[in-house]
């Protein structure tokens, strides 16, 4: 069996990716709290939403459950709509006219 198809290597890579993406969420949380401007905070929130989607996909791979793929799609849609709403609020001061 080659090293590229070894299940232990794949499982270790998925676990390492989960840890890395979780750490990135923590770093983005710092930018949300300490961001110098509101647009920086919006970008950090969008990055957190993207990282949460990545965590859901990696968890689906890790547990072999397809339900988490559906969850990640819903999270991606909600994250996009939230980012657009917050960006509109930051630029115009209101979301719904």
């Amino acid at each position: 069996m080659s090293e590229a198809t070894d299940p232990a290597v794949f499982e270790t890579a998925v676990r390492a990716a989960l840890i890395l993406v979780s750490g990135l969420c923590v770093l983005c949380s710092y930018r949300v709290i300490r961001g110098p401007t509101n647009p920086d905070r919006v970008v950090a929130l969008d990055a957190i939403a993207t990282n949460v989607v990545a965590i859901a996909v990696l968890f689906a791979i890790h547990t072999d459950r397809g339900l988490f793929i559906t969850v990640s799609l819903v999270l991606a849609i909600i994250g996009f709509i939230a980012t657009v709403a917050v960006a509109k609020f930051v630029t115009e001061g209101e979301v719904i006219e």
Side-chain angles (χ1 to χ4, degrees), residues 17-18 21-23 25 48 50-60 68 72:
L18 276 168
V21 174
S22 299
C25 279
I48 289 173
T50 303
N51 288 336
V52 168
V53 170
I55 289 171
V57 170
L58 288 168
F59 193 71
F68 291 110
S72 67

Side-chain angles (χ1 to χ4, degrees), residues 70-89:
T70 307
V71 169
S72 67
L73 289 172
V74 171
L75 287 172
I77 292 169
I78 291 172
F80 173 74
I81 292 171
T83 300
V84 170
V86 171
K88 186 173 180 182
F89 177 74

Side-chain angles (χ1 to χ4, degrees), residues 9-88:
V9 172
F10 182 71
E11 185 176 337
T12 303
V14 170
R15 285 183 182 183
L18 276 168
I19 292 169
L20 178 69
V21 174
S22 299
L24 291 173
C25 279
V26 171
L27 292 174
C28 287
S29 299
Y30 174 78
R31 179 53 59 198
V32 169
I33 295 169
R34 301 282 297 176
T37 62
N38 284 335
D40 289 330
R41 290 183 172 101
V42 171
V43 170
L45 282 172
D46 188 38
I48 289 173
T50 303
N51 288 336
V52 168
V53 170
I55 289 171
V57 170
L58 288 168
F59 193 71
I61 292 170
H62 181 67
T63 60
D64 289 330
R65 293 189 181 171
L67 175 67
F68 291 110
I69 299 295
T70 307
V71 169
S72 67
L73 289 172
V74 171
L75 287 172
I77 292 169
I78 291 172
F80 173 74
I81 292 171
T83 300
V84 170
V86 171
K88 186 173 180 182

